[in-house]
Amino acid sequence: MQCDILWTNVHLMTLQGEGLGILRDAELASRDGRIVHVGTAGSAAHLQPATRIDGAGRWISPGLVDCHTHLVYAGNRANEFEQRLQGVSYADIARAGGGIVATVSATRAASHERLAHESRPRLLAMRREGVTTLEIKSGYGLTLEDERKQLQVARQLGQECDVQVVPTFLGAHAVPPGRQAQEYIDEVCQSMIPAIAAEGLAEAVDIFCENIAFNTAQATQVFEAARAHGLAVKIHAEQLSNQHGAELAARHGALSADHIEHLDDAGIAAMAAAGTVAVLLPGAFYFTRDTTLPPIAALRAAGVPLALATDCNPGTSPLTSPLLAMNMGATLFRLTVDECIAGFTRNAARALGRGDRIGQLGVGMDCDLAIWDIDAPADLVYRIGFNPLYARVVRGQPDPI
Ligand code: DI6
Ligand code: FE
């Protein structure tokens, strides 16, 4: 059989089955952007590759998948960071016009080009660490026009930078200044979701369900509107308090419930029953100096898939390093090395509804790879501030760093 590229002399983290699915001294082949062969040394003798690449003993994992980011925004909140270091609280900053609303003002004021210019370096930083698929949420526009601008920039950056961008509509991120929560949610459901869906600008709808944001009745309304327009649902839940949002989202078949520091047993059971992925965000936990750990042991025991993501945003997680997020997942949340790597591959893919196409190295999957100069998988999680990426491969196309 003809194929495009055959990589030989590599070690693979296939992420097939449980754990990392390690295959040492292996070979992998691609054709037309898909993986057509995975096996041990010599197993590809029947293939006729157009190109043969000696991997020199490097490790290959699936391309990394960051399943929760707010990467497209304008401005930054370094000033608030400094204020918080002086002891000013997040709530006081918000009352003084800071917080999410400050980023909304900057994002609304930015042209399409300006927004792309400011966001591009963040996407490139992710790419340099082997990211091949990345979710980007809107939520700093809070008008149809400005949310649309964010989602269009997200799509454009993905095309420019050769990263698969999965767009999510997070119109229900905050109450826009001067509006009432309920009438704004009515607008989100009655006009924004239908327009975003009709224009194909998002695959899923998210909501910040929290005592400082939207309640579960409003989340129900948003989920019903999303479903009616053929969009998947996900939720920011139980970050600061237990609103039972994850349980509600699971009952609506949510792809994921994210943050979930304050999740209770009923929420865990609902997520397990629905197959909803738990997306853990150690960057936000670290940056806000949170002390309530997500219920990792109970999630694990219930068999809820665990994903990890950067939550890249200007307020609570100005993080563009999946590798650092893995290290934080291990040190702060006590995840195992296997869980950290699965959290940025197999389970992250599942949190995006793409578990059948990406996040594993298996025949028929997209040939999205990260090739690493490491001695063992643990090196990805163990080292801090070191990037051992050798190359990325997107849809079978090698992209040297
Ligand atoms: N949860 C968060 O931690 C961020 N958004 C959200 O829904 C905060 C975003 C910000 O402060 O800009
Ligand atoms: Fe978030």
Side-chain angles (χ1 to χ4, degrees), residues 68 70 77 80 84 90 99-101 103-104 137 139-140 170 172-174 206-210 212-213 236 239-240 259 281 284 288 311 313-317:
H68 179 142
H70 310 246
R77 309 234 293 273
E80 289 180 17
R84 287 190 18 226
Y90 194 78
I100 293 179
V101 165
T103 302
V104 170
K137 301 174 194 294
Y140 290 118
L170 177 59
H173 191 193
D206 194 349
I207 179 166
F208 188 20
C209 183
E210 192 52 69
I212 58 162
H236 280 70
Q239 181 183 5
L240 309 171
H259 287 288
L281 304 168
T288 61
D311 195 15
N313 79 69
T316 59
S317 188

Side-chain angles (χ1 to χ4, degrees), residues 203-206 222-227 231-235 249-250 252-257 276 351:
E203 293 186 12
V205 173
D206 194 349
V222 166
F223 293 156
E224 285 171 357
R227 285 284 185 221
L231 299 174
V233 301
K234 47 180 57 190
I235 190 166
H252 283 83
L255 289 173
S256 70
T276 298

Side-chain angles (χ1 to χ4, degrees), residues 299-324:
L299 286 162
R300 221 182 245 144
V304 175
L306 305 178
L308 272 179
T310 61
D311 195 15
C312 173
N313 79 69
T316 59
S317 188
L319 172 64
T320 47
S321 170
L323 293 173
L324 180 53

Side-chain angles (χ1 to χ4, degrees), residues 196-220:
I196 295 289
E199 293 169 35
L201 282 172
E203 293 186 12
V205 173
D206 194 349
I207 179 166
F208 188 20
C209 183
E210 192 52 69
N211 51 19
I212 58 162
F214 299 102
N215 62 33
T216 48
Q218 290 160 340
T220 303

Side-chain angles (χ1 to χ4, degrees), residues 14 16 28 34-38 357 359-367:
T14 68
Q16 299 242 283
L28 180 144
R34 300 278 191 88
I35 296 171
V36 291
H37 178 82
V38 177
R357 311 242 11 110
Q360 298 178 44
L361 306 181
V363 170
M365 310 277 283
D366 291 346
C367 188

Side-chain angles (χ1 to χ4, degrees), residues 17 52 76 92 137 171 261 288 301 323-324 374:
R52 184 182 283 268
N76 71 59
D92 285 341
K137 301 174 194 294
E261 277 83 351
T288 61
L323 293 173
L324 180 53
I374 52 175

